[in-house]
């Protein structure tokens, strides 16, 4: 029996004018992700993407798994395809759906007819389909209000599609539909998760990493590039990783400013530099992995001091998440094992023994003004280089 996947849109349906652009990006992404599982035709029709094997060798389980990670898709039906002829449809129902209903005590039959030339109306089709299910599974009950599973026949232009139950899609918005954002990507657990969460809302991700060579190593940078590579699975255009050296800034902070303020001052440089990079690359927001109260620099007062140095909105999707929840997501998206590799980060170089948790901006600025902020920032900005991670 021939099977296909029917991918149903989520919120994309609401997107008027640019819908086509996002649909096409999504189709390209789906084609790329199902390709390793065989030869599939991927096309759209009536707010549904059809993923159809072209031969018997295609691995539909693998393709289904891949499609479950596509943002913008709210649900996926695995369906049998057959000719639009009532006898064939009912026979297919009897042969195909019982496998999906082993654990079910009740069901509801439903039908949708978008091909109005089909000679039966939806209520008639549902009634016939319900009868076919009952004859194939005599113990099962009909429950139209709260069924364990819905058995559905869709009569479309191309064929009839029969499915029982559906898989929950990744949800979110299609890649790129919300514009581009600059992710401040460290080697830690939180920032890759933050990038994933914004990618899920349709943000095209570009990344910025700060290093502090020789205090941070080659291996630490490789780790960050590996995290970007894993994240790039969720962004159809790949990820550009910009790298800026903070070595000189950190040394100057250490030699001139009060130790308690090191981290805050460094984070202000990061925000300032990130804003400049974002503007150069048309990113409209910064994204960080901060979570309220997780460390000294993530109290409300500290966040206010760092925000003050950014001149773009700063998205912090993990702000209300517990570490445990962040870790769960990191495991789900496959970044956790890389994140916990024990390499140094520039934030862990020269860390103060008693960082300020309730800093006042005026006092921070007194420290900041001990250095030539602009000259140091310009020099760091000049050090930037870019590594491009291409989609696989
Ligand atoms: P993470 O696990 O993401 O490293 P964290 O809990 O260790 O976060 P911090 O080190 O205070 O927290 O960093 C807060 C945020 O600042 C990070 O989530 C990241 O967005 C950004 N950041 C920190 N270090 C760097 C870096 N070396 N390069 C780029 N961004 C960074
Ligand atoms: Mg960190």
């Amino acid at each position: 029996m021939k099977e296909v996947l029917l991918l149903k849109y989520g919120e994309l349906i609401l997107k008027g004018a640019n819908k086509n652009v996002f649909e096409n990006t999504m189709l390209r992404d789906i084609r790329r992700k199902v390709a390793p599982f065989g030869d599939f035709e991927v096309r759209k029709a009536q707010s549904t993407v059809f993923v159809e094997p072209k031969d018997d060798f295609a691995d539909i389980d693998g393709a289904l798994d891949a499609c479950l990670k596509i943002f913008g898709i709210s649900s996926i039906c695995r369906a049998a395809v057959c000719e639009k002829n009532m006898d064939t449809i009912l026979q297919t129902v009897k042969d195909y759906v019982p496998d999906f209903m082993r654990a079910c005590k009740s069901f509801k039959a439903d039908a949708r007819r978008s091909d109005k030339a089909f000679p039966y109306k939806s209520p008639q089709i549902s009634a016939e389909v319900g009868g076919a299910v009952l004859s194939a599974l005599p113990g099962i009950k009909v429950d139209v209000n709260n069924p364990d599973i819905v058995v559905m026949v869709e009569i479309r232009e191309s064929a009839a599609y029969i499915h029982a139950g559906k898989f929950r899609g990744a949800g979110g918005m299609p890649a790129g539909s919300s514009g581009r954002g600059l992710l401040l990507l460290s080697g830690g657990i939180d920032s890759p998760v933050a990038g994933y969460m914004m990618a899920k809302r349709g943000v095209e991700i570009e990344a910025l990493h700060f290093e502090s060579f020789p205090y941070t190593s080659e291996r630490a940078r490789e780790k960050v590039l590996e995290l970007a590579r894993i994240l790039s699975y969720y962004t159809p255009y790949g990820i550009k990783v910009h790298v800026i050296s903070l070595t000189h800034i950190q040394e100057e902070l250490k030699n001139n400013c009060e130790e308690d303020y090191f981290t805050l001052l460094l984070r202000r440089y990061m925000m300032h530099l990130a804003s400049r990079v974002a503007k150069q690359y048309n990113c409209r927001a910064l994204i960080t992995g901060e979570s309220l109260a997780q460390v000294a620099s993530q109290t409300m007062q500290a966040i206010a001091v760092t925000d003050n140095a950014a001149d773009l909105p700063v998205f912090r999707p993990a702000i209300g998440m517990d570490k445990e929840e962040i870790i769960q997501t990191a495991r789900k998206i496959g970044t956790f094992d890389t994140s916990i590799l024990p390499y140094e980060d520039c934030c862990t170089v020269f860390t103060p023994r008693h960082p300020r948790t309730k800093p006042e901006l005026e006092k921070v600025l007194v420290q900041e003004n001990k250095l030539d902020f602009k000259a140091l920032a310009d020099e760091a900005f000049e050090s930037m280089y870019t590594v491009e991670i291409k989609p696989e």
Side-chain angles (χ1 to χ4, degrees):
M1 191 168 319
K2 185 168 178 191
E3 286 187 288
V4 303
L5 302 175
L6 305 178
L7 283 54
K8 314 276 174 125
Y9 295 175
E11 295 171 53
L12 171 62
I13 280 178
L14 304 174
K15 290 264 160 182
N18 284 329
K19 185 174 163 194
N20 256 325
V21 179
F22 308 138
E23 276 184 321
N24 291 337
T25 304
M26 205 161 74
L27 287 183
R28 207 158 24 97
D29 195 29
I30 295 169
R31 285 193 189 104
R32 172 167 73 95
K33 289 191 172 133
V34 300
F37 302 101
D39 212 357
F40 290 90
E41 181 181 88
V42 177
R43 65 189 163 87
K44 62 174 181 185
Q46 302 160 308
S47 291
T48 300
V49 178
F50 291 70
V51 178
E52 195 155 359
K54 287 188 186 161
D55 55 37
D56 295 340
F57 306 110
D59 169 9
I60 195 136
D61 295 305
L64 173 61
D65 268 350
C67 291
L68 289 171
K69 298 187 181 121
I70 303 282
F71 297 138
I73 296 297
S74 69
S75 65
I76 301 180
C77 296
R78 180 178 180 149
V81 195
C82 73
E83 203 185 302
K84 286 186 282 184
N85 156 315
M86 192 57 114
D87 290 340
T88 315
I89 291 171
L90 296 178
Q91 190 55 50
T92 308
V93 167
K94 287 183 200 166
D95 295 342
Y96 184 66
V97 302
D99 271 352
F100 295 87
M101 300 175 69
R102 299 268 170 246
C104 301
K105 294 197 168 65
S106 64
F107 80 103
K108 171 185 164 182
D110 207 350
R112 193 175 302 141
R113 182 183 63 138
S114 50
D115 172 11
K116 300 296 179 203
F118 188 71
Y120 298 86
K121 294 204 168 122
S122 300
Q124 289 172 291
I125 308 170
S126 308
E128 296 278 349
V129 168
V133 173
L134 287 169
S135 74
L137 294 167
I140 202 155
K141 298 255 175 329
V142 175
D143 181 345
V144 289
N145 295 317
N146 192 19
D148 288 344
I149 198 165
V150 176
V151 177
M152 175 96 185
V153 175
E154 301 185 34
I155 312 286
R156 293 183 177 247
E157 294 303 327
S158 43
Y161 299 87
I162 293 153
H163 47 86
K166 58 185 173 188
F167 299 86
R168 186 147 151 207
M173 300 296 295
S177 62
S178 304
R180 193 179 299 155
L182 184 67
L183 170 66
L184 281 76
L185 182 60
S186 69
I189 298 169
D190 309 332
S191 47
V193 168
Y196 167 84
M197 290 173 78
M198 294 323 299
K200 179 170 175 181
R201 289 308 298 168
V203 176
E204 188 189 331
I205 300 290
E206 191 130 339
L208 172 61
H209 176 64
F210 295 104
E211 61 183 5
S212 192
F213 200 72
Y215 306 108
T216 62
S217 64
E218 189 80 35
R219 287 189 313 178
R221 180 197 320 157
E222 287 305 319
K223 168 183 170 181
V224 170
L225 295 179
E226 173 61 13
L227 287 171
R229 198 191 58 70
I230 299 169
L231 262 188
S232 74
Y233 185 81
Y234 303 95
T235 59
Y237 313 103
I239 294 188
K240 275 197 199 118
V241 186
H242 308 290
V243 184
I244 287 182
S245 169
L246 294 180
T247 310
H248 191 205
I249 291 176
Q250 289 192 271
E251 284 170 342
E252 288 295 305
L253 289 174
K254 179 166 179 281
N255 294 333
N256 297 285
C257 305
E258 258 179 51
E259 178 184 318
D260 297 1
Y261 290 94
F262 283 176
T263 310
L264 283 165
L265 294 167
L266 186 67
R267 296 198 57 74
R268 284 177 55 82
Y269 275 99
M270 285 186 177
M271 289 306 201
H272 167 81
L273 288 163
S275 303
R276 285 170 69 169
V277 176
K279 284 180 192 159
Q280 177 160 336
Y281 290 92
N282 295 319
C283 301
R284 297 185 192 288
L286 306 181
I287 302 162
T288 76
E290 289 160 301
S291 159
L292 190 64
Q294 193 190 79
V295 290
S297 62
Q298 296 174 18
T299 62
M300 282 199 210
Q301 292 88 337
I303 288 175
V305 165
T306 28
D307 247 13
N308 171 268
D311 42 308
L312 284 176
V314 183
F315 293 165
R316 298 179 170 88
I319 196 73
M321 289 167 83
D322 291 352
K323 194 77 190 183
E324 214 29 67
E325 295 170 308
I326 298 174
I327 289 175
Q328 254 179 30
T329 309
R331 285 191 197 280
K332 182 178 88 179
I333 65 176
T335 51
F336 183 74
D337 291 341
T338 304
S339 286
I340 58 173
L341 295 173
Y343 307 141
E344 44 324 287
D345 180 71
C346 68
C347 288
T348 57
V349 179
F350 311 139
T351 40
R353 281 158 294 183
H354 308 289
R356 295 277 157 159
T357 54
K358 292 183 182 160
E360 289 163 44
L361 184 60
E362 297 72 38
K363 291 188 180 160
V364 175
L365 292 177
V366 168
Q367 295 300 315
E368 190 167 279
N369 289 334
K370 292 183 177 177
L371 297 174
D372 186 342
F373 186 91
K374 179 154 188 323
L376 281 169
D378 284 351
E379 182 199 309
F381 193 68
E382 293 300 312
S383 77
M384 180 166 72
Y385 62 91
T386 300
V387 181
E388 202 167 337
I389 313 260
K390 294 240 174 358
E392 274 166 25

